[in-house]
């Protein structure tokens, strides 16, 4: 029998830990949330060391995601993909900036090849990144897949502003702690 339904969920702790009404006007506050989600996901043992959040306008939080690949047994459950999905369901639009922007994705680590492509299709106008792909690979042991050599330039050609290395050291600490733990979740 083939499955005809897909049900992805965020961990229960997300609802208690995320304050949708908090002040996320600064890029630093947006990135702090993404990294906090990554840290909590590891601390709770509910997935890998990645967190992401989507914001509409200058500060309104519309969705969050954490890595759920192992607990949900699906390779698509990356933090960015979960953040896109929760945001899309909340506003009932598959293109997040369909009603106008800017729409910002804050992610604890540089998007892998899958999440990179999804950022274009989801309708992101701004991309805030903590750790680099090299950090993810060297500190946590993940293979991030191939990206164009000028991946940031390719996004910028499509009108997506890219800001890197925001709170990078803090994001790398989460990756390193996860990598040293030897746990896979």
């Amino acid at each position: 029998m083939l499955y005809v339904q897909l049900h992805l969920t965020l961990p229960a702790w997300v609802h208690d830990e995320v304050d949708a009404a908090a002040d996320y006007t600064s890029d630093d506050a947006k990135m702090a949330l993404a990294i906090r989600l990554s840290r909590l996901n590891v601390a709770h043992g509910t997935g890998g060391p990645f967190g992401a959040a989507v914001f509409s306008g200058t500060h309104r939080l519309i969705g969050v995601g954490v890595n759920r690949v192992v607990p949900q047994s699906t390779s698509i459950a990356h933090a960015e993909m979960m953040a896109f999905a929760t945001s899309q369901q909340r506003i009932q639009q598959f293109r997040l900036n369909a009603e106008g922007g800017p729409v910002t994705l804050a992610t604890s680590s540089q998007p892998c090849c899958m999440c990179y492509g999804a950022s274009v299709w989801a309708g992101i106008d701004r991309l805030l990144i903590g750790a680099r792909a090299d950090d993810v690979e060297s500190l946590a042991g993940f293979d991030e897949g191939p990206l164009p050599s000028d991946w940031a330039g390719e996004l910028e050609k499509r009108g997506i502003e890219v800001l890197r290395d925001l709170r990078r050291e803090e994001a790398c600490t989460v990756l390193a702690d996860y990598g040293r733990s030897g746990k896979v979740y």
Side-chain angles (χ1 to χ4, degrees):
M1 172 187 266
L2 296 176
Y3 288 104
V4 294
Q5 193 173 37
L6 175 66
H7 186 74
L8 298 176
T9 59
L10 292 175
W13 60 260
V14 169
H15 302 289
D16 296 329
E17 295 287 348
V18 175
D19 181 1
D23 181 3
Y24 298 109
T25 52
S26 73
D27 290 344
D28 188 66
K30 291 174 180 73
M31 183 55 61
L33 175 60
I35 295 169
R36 184 167 175 261
L37 288 166
S38 71
R39 183 182 315 104
L40 288 169
N41 204 36
V42 173
H44 286 281
T46 51
F50 305 99
V54 175
F55 303 86
S56 177
T58 57
H59 66 279
R60 186 173 75 103
L61 178 66
I62 57 174
V64 299
V66 293
N67 179 282
R68 299 285 287 156
V69 170
V70 173
Q72 302 271 249
S73 298
T74 181
S75 61
I76 64 170
H78 287 200
E80 296 92 339
M81 302 297 278
M82 298 294 283
F84 293 152
T86 59
S87 301
Q88 291 159 336
Q89 291 299 297
R90 181 169 182 197
I91 68 170
Q92 290 296 289
Q93 293 280 342
F94 66 89
R95 185 109 177 128
L96 294 170
N97 61 2
E99 303 291 322
V103 172
T104 301
L105 169 66
T107 181
S108 61
S109 298
Q110 179 180 317
C112 70
C113 58
M114 174 178 63
C115 297
Y116 168 83
S119 296
V120 173
W121 297 114
I124 298 301
D125 300 299
R126 302 180 71 238
L127 176 59
L128 310 178
I129 301 168
R132 296 179 180 206
D134 292 345
D135 301 328
V136 173
E137 292 175 0
S138 66
L139 298 172
F142 289 95
D143 180 357
E144 294 299 274
L147 289 174
S149 58
D150 184 23
W151 63 269
E154 291 297 324
L155 290 177
E156 289 168 353
K157 283 182 193 175
R158 289 171 168 76
I160 302 171
E161 178 185 12
V162 178
L163 299 168
R164 295 186 268 189
D165 298 336
L166 301 171
R167 301 182 86 136
R168 181 180 178 196
E169 186 174 318
E170 184 180 352
C172 285
T173 298
V174 176
L175 295 169
D177 290 347
Y178 176 85
R180 280 192 299 272
S181 76
K183 297 178 182 174
V184 177
Y185 43 74

